[in-house]
Amino acid sequence: MNDHLEVLRAMRAKALEGGGPDRIAQQHARGKLTARERLALLLDDGSFQELGALATHDETEFGLADQRYPGDGVVAGFGKVSGRRVAAFAQDFTVIGGSFSRVQSHKISRIQDLALESGVPIIGLNDSGGARIQEGVASLAAYGEVFVRNVMCSGVIPQISVILGPCAGGAVYSPALTDFVVMARGTSSMFLTGPDVIEAVTGELVSIEELGGSDVHEARSGVAHLVADNELGAIELAKLLLGFLPQNNNEDPPQLVPYDPAERMADELNAVIPDDEAETYDVRDILGHVFDRDSFLEVHAAYAANAVTGFARLDGFAVGIVANQPAVMAGVLDIDASDKIARFIRICDVYNIPVVTFVDCPGFLPGIDQEYQGVIRHGAKIIYAYCEATVPKISIVTRRAMGGAYVAMSSRQMRTDIAFAWPSAQIAVMGAEAAVRILYAREVRAATDPAAVTAEYVRQYRDAFFNPYRAADVGQIDEVIEPRETRPRLIRALELLRTKVQQNPPKKHGLFPA
Ligand code: HXC
């Protein structure tokens, strides 16, 4: 028996070394932690239960007979984050560049299955050179095993991908299929085809950072939802994010003990909308006053910054926030903002997180490029997502709600439960000048003083439409409230809606505009 124990202990000790001391030193020299060090940061002390620690490929593997490492490029298992059960894996770059192998696939698939069956979130710490080239088609098939499970888990258990090194080739698609991608600035990258292949095929020269660094995916591609300054920050962001999510789609997100008075009014909000309509403001100033102190976690902050999405708490309950951002492009909706908003609403809906929408939007962005790029089908995603969502939905029109933007941004008719407006709301088919140009072209042309006549028509139009009361008369707005009351109003509304039941017709799935 003692011999058997010795063998096991020796193999376990080897597994703890990953690719060996030299590779670990290289990993550290690059400012990166090892897979086990990362899991130790993610999981509660002593909670990690490893599975497949000793698995590796057999001696016949092409070119890898002398590179057999117990654990084979990934550390996987389950544990706890802030006392909540999770499944987790961390790719080990010190073992053949974290490349994705059959064994790696078996180990990750195994914990995906266990996580799905047990209804617990799964967090992947990614650091991989993509499909293990020596394994040939087997490593491609191995990806398929993980992808199918990513999709089966989608909308059932939260899936968070943290990118902590290169994530090349097929390695990017599993994260892309998960709910959230978190990157670490400077040390992580994501690309499908690397700089060498791009140079060979297109002749373009690009560095890894320029091609797929965190700045690219944070602000341009939108692949990354959250970016931290370093590895530790990225892991902390994943944990923070997890706090807003339920264990699975049959549960509600955890509620914190309320720490900010529910009846707190914010007088500052009464002065937040500038008197001069041409002036902008930062919608995040509003959010800071309404939600529980310091609870806002912005998601996709630098991508499509003309819209703001993120999680926060109201009286300790998790909520999702969608807002136009007047400080960027006047808060207009474009293709990227549409994609960002629609995706966020669907995440909230699937995980039972109420959606609170702040509306101040002049409409969809006019332009040939936007039309050619398909602003119609992208804009339709927002409408689809709001209409489809059955979670509690509350909207607040703070200023402009013009035309398509009024309808698309959580209008009452699209199954929004309660629609509030501030007295500064302007709800109209279009802006005053544009409306007068269309409605009174003949009168203005015939006038001896066209400018004066135009100004008079504009005044009449504004008197008629640039307030929330006409919309309130016909129930498009449920209540006009003072800005300072917004927090208690929202809390009471969400209290009512906590037991909301609404179902969509049975179907295989809808056809989300893509
Ligand atoms: C086997 C790999 C590997 C891979 C890296 N290594 N990627 N081994 N298969 N895919 C090995 C290297 O040979 C090296 O071993 C060790 O890992 C560390 O790699 P380095 O290149 O020294 O590290 P670094 O300079 O940091 O560069 C990291 C990297 C680079 C940018 C990820 O290794 C790289 O470009 N790898 C290939 C990426 C790629 O094209 N993947 C696509 C595969 S095809 P030694 O022993 O020399 O130190 C694919 C398609 C799937 O994934 C599609 C599914 C839908």
Side-chain angles (χ1 to χ4, degrees), residues 255-268:
Q255 187 202 1
L256 295 191
V257 177
Y259 58 88
D260 196 354
E263 297 304 327
R264 175 173 63 75
M265 301 263 189
D267 291 336
E268 299 89 334

Side-chain angles (χ1 to χ4, degrees), residues 53 74 84 211 224 246 285 338:
V74 69
R84 298 169 73 202
L211 180 64
D285 291 341
S338 299

Side-chain angles (χ1 to χ4, degrees), residues 23 26 30 32 64 67 69 93-100 128-135 139-141 143-144 147 165-173 189 191-197 208:
R23 302 269 183 186
Q26 278 172 19
R30 291 173 168 179
K32 291 162 64 184
L64 290 175
Q67 290 196 65
Y69 301 91
F93 193 80
T94 69
V95 174
I96 319 175
S99 54
F100 195 78
S128 167
R132 184 169 294 170
I133 298 162
Q134 295 92 329
E135 289 199 3
S139 65
L140 301 181
Y143 269 128
F147 295 164
C167 204
V172 295
Y173 276 127
S189 58
F191 50 84
L192 207 45
T193 48
D196 294 348
V197 178
I208 285 182

